[in-house]
Amino acid sequence: MALFRRFCFTLVHQHSISSGHHVFLTSTLVRKPSNRVPAAPSSTTWNQEFYDDYGAKVDDTEPRTKVIESKEDFKYVARLIPSLEIPKPPKHQQYPTPSGWSPPKGCKEDTPYFVRRTKYHNLPVFVSQTHGGSSIYTIVKHVDGDIWTFSDRLLKHLEAGHGAEIAMHVNEYAKMVKFKGLFQEPAMKWLTDEGF
């Protein structure tokens, strides 16, 4: 604070010498009078004034614009509106198709579980990579019913083809089974053979 007072005193002293005026330093703040004109309070807001003037500007004698409803031209608009439902897959001459897709054949009646396909009619088998690709997991989703029987049967099939034990995690709440490793192709083939 002492440094600030010394700076102000030096600045004012130089100004008083150059201009020839006497300056008195005080420790209290003095409010400087302002040249601004205070704003006059308004009884109405701007939107009220706008709507009051708008009613006077409307001319009722002008003819109104007529609206014509055309149902014949709506066919041009209807073809641009996307469908809310995903269309059914088209029928092919042979299965599997060149992309490897095949429709569900239908599972046995005594099967205690059911695997629903995705909304795009594909098998719900996905591959997840973590830790920069060092950990790879195969995930089967949309498993309804007895998920434990399903996981045991699929695990036995994958271990028979792999020749070693495979780590597995069952998430009953999310209806998904996770296998450690890349087993997308054998899992999809097993699901197709089961009729899903």
Side-chain angles (χ1 to χ4, degrees), residues 51-181:
Y51 285 116
D52 292 343
D53 295 341
Y54 180 76
K57 294 178 182 178
V58 175
D59 188 5
D60 295 334
T61 59
E62 295 182 359
R64 298 288 182 175
T65 304
K66 295 182 180 179
V67 178
I68 301 174
E69 183 179 354
S70 176
K71 297 182 179 179
E72 298 178 359
D73 296 335
F74 186 74
K75 60 183 178 182
Y76 301 108
V77 180
R79 65 184 183 185
L80 301 176
I81 299 175
S83 177
L84 298 178
E85 297 180 359
I86 297 174
K88 295 181 179 180
K91 294 182 179 180
H92 299 274
Q93 296 179 355
Q94 60 180 358
Y95 294 103
T97 59
S99 64
W101 182 85
S102 60
K105 301 174 184 177
C107 60
K108 299 178 183 179
E109 294 182 359
D110 58 345
T111 306
Y113 51 83
F114 182 77
V115 180
R116 293 180 294 107
R117 294 214 171 186
T118 63
K119 62 181 181 179
Y120 299 111
H121 312 291
N122 294 325
L123 290 170
V125 182
F126 306 94
V127 176
S128 174
Q129 296 183 4
T130 59
H131 301 93
S134 62
S135 299
I136 301 176
Y137 298 94
T138 302
I139 304 172
V140 182
K141 297 182 179 181
H142 307 311
V143 182
D144 295 326
D146 190 358
I147 192 172
W148 301 100
T149 305
F150 167 81
S151 60
D152 290 340
R153 291 182 183 179
L154 181 54
L155 180 64
K156 289 179 182 178
H157 172 75
L158 295 178
E159 287 180 345
H162 186 61
E165 292 185 358
I166 300 172
M168 178 186 67
H169 172 72
V170 178
N171 191 338
E172 190 174 6
Y173 180 77
K175 300 180 180 181
M176 58 180 282
V177 183
K178 184 186 291 187
F179 301 94
K180 188 172 184 179

